Every structure is written in structure tokens, then in C-alpha cells.
Amino acid sequence: MSSETRSYPRRATTDAGEIQFRLMSQADETAVLDFAQKLPVHDLLFLPRDISEPKVLAAWIKEIERGAITSLLAVRADRVVGCGTLVRDPLSWSPHVGEIRNVVASDVRGQGVGRVLSQEIFALALGAGLEKLVVQMTVDQTGAIAIFEGLGFKAEALLRDHVKDKAGKKHDIVVLGHNVAQVRAQMEAYGLPGAVAS
């Protein structure tokens, strides 16, 4: 997947300080593993696989190299404090759909890092020509839900007892969707087709 409409690295000022956003590569494996292993277990439920496991992270890197996944890292003072991922499968029944997966370190939550990371991944998805985006998370992740609703996502499904954490407790998942093709058409109607490329 290409990121031709966005150039990286790019910087943003948040309440947590200056954050650099850059594309993740194999060279980041150790730093991302350190980030993932410090996440609260509940936060890992944002993701379909446990990225705190080295073999899962290695497979993730291979998917990035293959071009099936684009991942952005949020870095503050040479430490990964967030990761956003855009996943799509051009060989599936839904090649027009992308899934966004975001997770942010506990110590920078509520300081704008997750919001900017979500906006960056959303802009990448718009530039990738996807028609629809989905994101899923546990229903108690109200801050993340609010961020995505602010980007125009709407609840599409509630999946009861859909994920089980390491302690065996089941959690409900909410699936939010966004019709990107409709947004793109509206932007073009207003003469703003390049607005997300800045």
C-alpha cells in the first residue's frame, strides 16, 4: 500500500509535547515490542492479535514489507508512544475496505496523541483510494470511540463477548464504519480534492 498523498516523517505539537510520526519498518521491531509489552492488557484488545508477542510482531513486520499493512509510529523523545495501522486485503471479498487499528501509551493519553494519530491514519486511508473504513474496540474505550466519531465514523455493530482477554474475561466489541467514498465525493463537490494531502 502506498502513502503517496502523505510524506513522512512529519511532526505535530500535542499536549504531550512534539510528536514525530513516521512509517514503521523492520528497524523499529525492538522499539515497538518494548512499547507493546508496556501496554495494559486491556489495550491490546484493540488489536486482533497480541503484538506484545515477538512472533506476532515479526509477522506484522512481514505484512508491512509485503505492502498489506501501513503502520505509523508516534515517537516522542526517541520512544514509541503510539502506533496506528491501516490494514487491507486486496485479495479478499472486501478489497475496498480498510481497517484502522490504533493504540497509544498510557502516559500520553488524553493529550492529543491518539487524535493526531487517528487523523494521520485516516488521511492515509483517503489517499489509498479505499471506499470504506472500519475500526473496532471494546465498548468501554469511550475516548477512542469519540475520536473516531469526530472523524465521521458511526456505530455499525455490537459483537457481544467477542474477545477474551488473557485472564479469560469476555468483552463486547463495537464496530464503527466510515463511508470514505462519500466523503471523497463531498470534498470534490466542494472543490477540495487535495485537502487531505497536506
Side-chain angles (χ1 to χ4, degrees):
M1 184 178 342
S2 140
S3 59
E4 59 270 321
T5 61
R6 305 296 277 181
S7 60
Y8 294 97
R10 54 195 305 127
R11 297 181 184 282
T13 301
T14 69
D15 290 345
E18 185 174 87
I19 304 294
Q20 180 190 65
F21 295 92
R22 61 181 167 81
L23 293 170
M24 182 175 155
S25 71
Q26 207 267 321
D28 297 307
E29 191 167 357
T30 301
V32 173
L33 185 61
D34 182 59
F35 161 73
Q37 289 178 339
K38 291 178 180 167
L39 288 169
V41 172
H42 188 74
D43 291 357
L44 295 171
L45 298 179
F46 268 102
L47 312 169
R49 292 182 181 89
D50 184 354
I51 64 167
S52 68
E53 294 291 332
K55 65 182 177 186
V56 172
L57 186 55
W60 176 10
I61 298 284
K62 284 188 172 125
E63 289 299 296
I64 289 172
E65 291 171 347
R66 189 172 71 84
I69 293 177
T70 300
S71 290
L72 276 181
L73 297 180
V75 179
R76 182 181 72 175
D78 296 325
R79 183 175 74 95
V80 175
V81 294
C83 183
T85 299
L86 176 62
V87 181
R88 70 178 187 172
D89 184 355
L91 301 177
S92 75
W93 292 108
S94 303
H96 61 293
V97 178
E99 181 180 355
I100 292 177
R101 303 170 184 164
N102 283 356
V103 66
V104 175
S106 301
D107 63 323
V108 298
R109 287 215 189 110
Q111 299 178 57
V113 176
R115 183 170 308 284
V116 178
L117 181 61
S118 298
Q119 291 167 346
E120 286 293 327
I121 289 291
F122 185 70
L124 277 172
L126 290 176
L130 294 167
E131 295 175 34
K132 181 175 182 177
L133 293 172
V134 295
V135 63
Q136 55 183 314
M137 61 200 72
T138 56
V139 296
D140 60 338
Q141 300 286 351
T142 54
I145 291 169
I147 287 172
F148 283 103
E149 287 177 339
L151 289 170
F153 284 75
K154 295 186 180 359
E156 291 192 353
L158 175 67
L159 306 175
R160 299 211 179 271
D161 296 332
H162 195 70
V163 295
K164 192 186 294 187
D165 63 26
K166 287 183 176 183
K169 183 179 179 191
K170 295 176 186 170
H171 300 270
D172 297 345
I173 292 287
V174 63
V175 179
L176 305 173
H178 193 295
N179 186 333
V180 176
Q182 182 181 15
V183 170
R184 188 175 292 112
Q186 288 171 337
M187 289 173 63
E188 289 174 4
Y190 289 110
L192 302 170
V196 297
S198 62

